[in-house]
Amino acid sequence: LLIKMKHLLNRGGLNAGMTEFQEKLRQQHENSMHQELEKLLSTTKGVEAENSRKDFEGFKHLFHRFLQVKGPSVDWAKINRPPEDSIQPYERIHAKGLPEAIAASLNKLAVVKLNGGLGTSMGCKGPKSLISVRNENTFLDLTVQQIEHLNKTYSADVPLVLMNSFNTDEDTKKILQKYTHHRVKIHTFNQSRYPRINKESLLPVATNMGLIGENGEAWYPPGHGDIYTSFCNSGLLDKLLSEGKEYIFVSNIDNLGATVDLHILNHLMSQPADKRCEFVMEVTDKTRADVKGGTLIQYDNKLRLLEIAQVPKAHVDEFKSVTKFKIFNTNNLWISLPAIKRLHEQNTLDMEIIVNPKTLDGGLNVIQLETAVGAAIKCFDNALGINVPRSRFLPVKTTSDLLLVMSNLYSLEAGSLTMSEKREFPTTPHVKLGSSFTKVQDFLRRFESIPDMLELDHLTVSGDVTFGKQVALKGTVIIIANHGDRIDIPAGAMLENKIVSGNLRILDH
C-alpha cells in the first residue's frame, strides 16, 4: 500500500510539474511573439505603424487564447438541438405581411458585404467581387444595383459598406469611382492584417511590415469574425449609429441570394424594445452538398454556431449527417449595431478560434488563426435562427456555380437573380465540372454559349470537353473525355439522360 501511495504521489507531482512546465513554455512563446511583433513594428512608421499596432493588439489576444486552448472546443455530450422557438420558419415571418411604413425601417439599415477574398480559386487575379457573373455584371455591380433599386423604390437611404482586406482594398477603391452617380452611399473599411505563424517555432514568418516579394506571403486577413473589431476601430460603426442606423445585414459578396429581405427586417423592427433580437442567422435545410456547413446548436443555454473544425474526430460523421443536424448557416446575418458597440466596449465578444494550416510556396508549414462572424451569436441577446428558402443561398465558389447563375435557370432583375418560372422543380441542378474548367477564362473558352439547363438535374463533365452554341441539357448528363481524347458537343445538340465518353471531334473543313 505504501509503495502504491508513493507511486500515486509521484504521479501527482509529475502532473503538477508538467502543468507548470507547459505554463512556462506558453509564457515563453507569448514573450517571444511579443518581441518579434515589436521588431516588425519598428520597420514602419506614421499612420501605418498606428494601424498595425491596433491590428497586433487583436492578434496578441487571439494568440494568447490559441496557446490556452487544447483539443476540440466543445464537449459533445453537452450539445443539444436548439429549442423549437429559437429557429423560426421563414413562412411564419413572411405571413405577417409588411406595414406601409417599411421605408422608415429601411432607413435604419446598412448593408455590409464581406469583400476580403481574392478570385484565385477561380484562376482570377484581384478581388473576387470584380469577376463578371452575368451579362458583364460583376458581384459588386449586382450588389450596387440591388441596393440602388431599394433606395429608389422606397425613397430610402440604405448605404453599402464593404469590408475589404489588404488584398482587395486598392483594386476595389479604384472601381468604386464608377458608382459615384448611383443612388447608393458606399463606405469601405479594412479588416485586420495578421502575421502567419511558423508551425514549428510559433513565431511570425514576416521579416518586416512590407507586402512585397516573399514577405507578401507572410500576412493574412483573419477571417470574417474580425468584422466586429475592425468595424469599431474604423470609426464607421459610430458614424452609422449617429446617422440613425440600427441594424446591419451582413453577407458574403459571392452569395447572389443574399438580398435585403423586407420581411426579416420588419420582424426585427417590430419587436418590443426590451425583447429586441440582436442577432439573426439565416439558416437553410442541408442537402448532401452542404454536409460541411456550420450548424446551430443549443449549448450552455445559448444558441451557438458549431463548425466542422470544432467537432471531435470521433463525431465528424455524426456532424455531417442530415438527420441529426438538419440545417446550416448561410452566413446571411442581421446584427444590431448598438449591441456590437456594447459588446466591443465590454470586450465580451468571444468567438472560437479556427486554426487554418497552410503551406507557403517554398514548402514552409504555417498556421493562421481565424474567427467566423457567426460564432459570436452566443454573445448577443435574444438571438434567433430563421430557416429561409434555399434561394437565399446562391454562392459562387467555383465555375460549376458560375455555370448555373449564367444559365437560363435564373432571370436577372434589378441586380437580383430569381429562379426561372419555367423550371418545374425549384431545386438547383447538381453540376460538377472537371479540372479543365477550373479557371474562369478556360471555362468561358469551352462554352460557345451557355447551354439551356431548364430541365437539367445533374451534369458531370470531365476532361477536354467543349460545347457548341445552343446546346440543351436535360435530366442526367455525364460527359467524360479520357486522357488524350477530346469531346466537342455539336451546336444545337440536345442531350437528355445521356452518357458521352470516348472521342468526338468536330472539325471545320
Side-chain angles (χ1 to χ4, degrees), residues 469-480:
K469 282 192 170 136
Q470 294 174 332
V471 170
L473 304 171
K474 300 180 179 188
T476 296
V477 178
I478 298 167
I479 305 168
I480 295 173

Side-chain angles (χ1 to χ4, degrees), residues 414-455:
S416 296
L417 285 182
T418 45
M419 190 166 277
S420 167
E421 288 172 5
K422 292 178 188 164
R423 181 161 173 87
E424 285 180 28
F425 311 100
T427 54
T428 319
H430 199 64
V431 173
K432 281 195 289 195
L433 299 177
S435 55
S436 316
F437 291 81
T438 304
K439 294 182 174 178
V440 173
Q441 66 234 49
D442 295 342
F443 161 85
L444 293 171
R445 209 183 62 239
R446 290 178 176 278
F447 287 99
E448 276 194 55
S449 70
I450 302 296
D452 172 345
M453 291 164 48
L454 273 177
E455 294 177 45

Side-chain angles (χ1 to χ4, degrees), residues 82-153:
E84 282 297 307
D85 58 347
S86 66
I87 299 181
Q88 299 252 348
Y90 176 78
E91 293 70 35
R92 190 181 301 166
I93 282 158
H94 192 273
K96 286 187 196 167
L98 292 174
E100 278 180 24
I102 193 69
S105 295
L106 273 171
N107 285 330
K108 294 176 182 172
L109 180 74
V111 172
V112 179
K113 292 285 180 183
L114 304 172
N115 185 44
L118 292 167
T120 36
S121 64
M122 292 170 80
C124 294
K125 279 194 166 71
K128 186 172 180 185
S129 56
L130 307 184
I131 295 175
S132 286
V133 278
R134 180 91 186 205
N135 311 351
E136 303 299 308
N137 288 302
T138 65
F139 290 105
L140 190 53
D141 291 334
L142 294 176
T143 302
V144 171
Q145 286 166 27
Q146 284 165 22
I147 300 173
E148 184 177 39
H149 177 67
L150 263 184
N151 286 339
K152 282 180 175 170
T153 309

Side-chain angles (χ1 to χ4, degrees), residues 141-183:
D141 291 334
L142 294 176
T143 302
V144 171
Q145 286 166 27
Q146 284 165 22
I147 300 173
E148 184 177 39
H149 177 67
L150 263 184
N151 286 339
K152 282 180 175 170
T153 309
Y154 296 95
S155 299
D157 177 22
V158 178
L160 169 63
V161 178
L162 298 172
M163 178 166 91
N164 298 339
S165 68
F166 63 88
N167 286 322
T168 62
D169 190 50
E170 206 178 312
D171 290 337
T172 302
K173 280 183 174 158
K174 279 181 198 159
I175 287 288
L176 289 180
Q177 293 163 9
K178 78 176 195 183
Y179 305 118
T180 38
H181 300 297
H182 288 252
R183 193 169 160 174

Side-chain angles (χ1 to χ4, degrees), residues 281-405:
M281 177 180 285
E282 294 185 34
V283 296
T284 194
D285 291 346
K286 251 189 201 182
T287 67
R288 298 243 172 264
D290 315 305
V291 291
K292 289 182 178 174
T295 191
L296 279 180
I297 56 169
Q298 184 82 351
Y299 195 90
D300 291 341
N301 293 321
K302 279 278 196 181
L303 208 52
R304 180 162 162 175
L305 178 68
L306 177 66
E307 299 272 12
I308 194 161
Q310 299 158 271
V311 177
K313 278 202 167 53
H315 296 282
V316 167
D317 286 343
E318 199 179 334
F319 173 81
K320 287 180 175 179
S321 91
V322 182
T323 44
K324 181 161 184 178
F325 300 107
K326 292 184 165 65
I327 47 135
F328 73 97
N329 168 27
T330 63
N331 222 35
N332 301 347
L333 310 166
W334 303 73
I335 314 173
S336 154
L337 283 172
I340 294 175
K341 188 174 169 67
R342 180 189 79 234
L343 292 168
H344 179 72
E345 284 172 353
Q346 293 170 352
N347 206 10
T348 50
L349 274 164
D350 169 33
M351 290 163 280
E352 289 75 28
I353 296 174
I354 300 161
V355 180
N356 193 350
K358 297 263 180 191
T359 306
L360 302 186
D361 285 348
L364 184 69
N365 289 324
V366 296
I367 50 176
Q368 48 191 53
L369 306 178
E370 303 175 6
T371 54
V373 56
I377 188 168
K378 63 176 186 283
C379 310
F380 289 84
D381 294 338
N382 304 316
L384 180 69
I386 297 180
N387 191 341
V388 296
R390 180 75 187 200
S391 57
R392 292 193 55 72
F393 185 66
L394 187 58
V396 180
K397 302 286 182 198
T398 62
T399 49
S400 301
D401 300 328
L402 193 56
L403 179 62
L404 287 170
V405 300

